[in-house]
Amino acid sequence: MRKLAVAGSKEVTLDHSARTIQIVFPASYKSDEMELLMELIDGVSVSHTDPVKRFGFRGFKPIPLLILNNYSQQYDTYTIYVDVEGDIQAHLWEDLFLKENGTCVAPVVFTSGMGTVPERPSEVGEISAWLGDAKNAKPAIRNTGSGLFEFEDAYKLVSSESIDLSIRYKEQSFEFKEKQKLTKWIVRASIDSASTWWNSLFKNVAMNVGGGCFLPQKKYQIKLQNQASVAAIPTEYRGT
């Protein structure tokens, strides 16, 4: 790679020995994608077309860039780090929703102040998010997902009308101004071996029912019904 430019960037540093690319954007950079324009030496390529690559980067892990030696068919991997100046700003792509087994997903979209995580090779970056209800003194739940803002046991907040969501990264903290409420997925279920069990249903034989959104504090039953009668089968919640 002879040269590398990134549209809208403030600084681009290419370190061949460490195989790293450091990009710095000013706070005014609003796109959630970046465009790399590369001038490559003869005999190497990064795509089958032209050497321009677009990447999403906000909140992502540092991005691997594979450079192929067309003669040896060997790859060199460069790692792209992105640092964005300014304060963190974000919004939710859609409402908070509760999925199977009481896990909540927060679809956060960063619009400012957030690059890759970590933003520089010398850093060990980690984003922490917290979901809670300070108004009613309910305990906050720390995110547990990998790559997504997921919160286990968020079913405890289903009844809350005033949920707080905040994000912390390095020395910065961002709290969503709007109070949130959990939207629960509809209850859907399927029974194992559904194609064969209809012919006969033996007494005292356990069947597994999978699906969501089942919550541990609720009680569920399976109802079998025809024109003549209705039968209810008790169930036991077992989580995942």
Side-chain angles (χ1 to χ4, degrees):
M1 190 183 304
R2 288 194 182 96
K3 293 182 181 179
L4 173 64
V6 181
S9 66
K10 180 178 179 180
E11 177 186 330
V12 178
T13 303
L14 181 60
D15 188 333
H16 289 291
S17 60
R19 295 290 193 269
T20 60
I21 298 170
Q22 178 69 67
I23 301 169
V24 179
F25 284 110
S28 58
Y29 189 81
K30 298 303 181 185
S31 175
D32 58 358
E33 289 187 337
M34 60 182 175
E35 180 180 87
L36 276 61
L37 299 98
M38 291 166 278
E39 182 179 327
L40 304 173
I41 64 174
D42 294 338
V44 301
S45 60
V46 292
S47 71
H48 297 296
T49 56
D50 55 80
V52 175
K53 286 287 186 179
R54 290 181 175 85
F55 298 95
F57 63 90
R58 294 187 189 273
F60 294 170
K61 293 179 179 179
I63 303 160
L65 177 67
L66 302 180
I67 299 180
L68 174 65
N69 184 317
N70 296 318
Y71 302 109
S72 66
Q73 293 299 300
Q74 298 295 314
Y75 284 95
D76 274 335
T77 301
Y78 282 71
T79 304
I80 304 172
Y81 294 83
V82 182
D83 189 346
V84 181
E85 298 175 338
D87 297 330
I88 292 176
Q89 297 293 326
H91 67 267
L92 291 176
W93 182 259
E94 58 185 352
D95 293 339
L96 298 180
F97 61 90
L98 195 72
K99 62 178 189 176
E100 57 267 26
N101 302 318
T103 298
C104 170
V105 174
V108 175
V109 178
F110 292 102
T111 58
S112 181
M114 177 63 67
T116 56
V117 181
E119 294 179 316
R120 294 182 176 273
S122 59
E123 298 174 347
V124 179
E126 180 180 288
I127 299 177
S128 295
W130 298 84
L131 194 69
D133 185 347
K135 181 179 179 181
N136 296 301
K138 293 184 179 181
I141 305 168
R142 187 179 183 276
N143 65 301
T144 51
S146 175
L148 289 173
F149 292 108
E150 294 185 350
F151 304 86
E152 293 179 357
D153 298 333
Y155 65 86
K156 299 173 183 177
L157 298 170
V158 168
S159 61
S160 177
E161 298 285 342
S162 181
I163 296 176
D164 301 294
L165 174 61
S166 61
I167 295 172
R168 298 172 192 170
Y169 179 58
K170 295 193 294 188
E171 72 282 358
Q172 291 201 59
S173 179
F174 175 79
E175 183 169 345
F176 290 82
K177 295 180 180 179
E178 302 81 7
K179 300 299 181 181
Q180 310 295 326
K181 179 175 172 57
L182 287 177
T183 299
K184 195 178 82 169
W185 282 8
I186 62 174
V187 174
R188 288 178 287 193
S190 60
I191 300 175
D192 286 357
S193 304
S195 61
T196 60
W197 76 277
W198 297 102
N199 296 324
S200 60
L201 189 62
F202 299 102
K203 291 184 178 180
N204 301 320
V205 175
M207 295 183 299
N208 292 321
V209 178
C213 171
F214 297 107
L215 305 180
Q217 81 273 32
K218 300 289 186 180
K219 293 185 179 298
Y220 300 92
Q221 64 179 15
I222 298 173
K223 184 183 290 185
L224 302 179
Q225 182 176 357
N226 58 24
Q227 291 182 342
S229 62
V230 177
I233 302 175
T235 63
E236 178 184 352
Y237 178 85
R238 292 187 178 179
T240 55

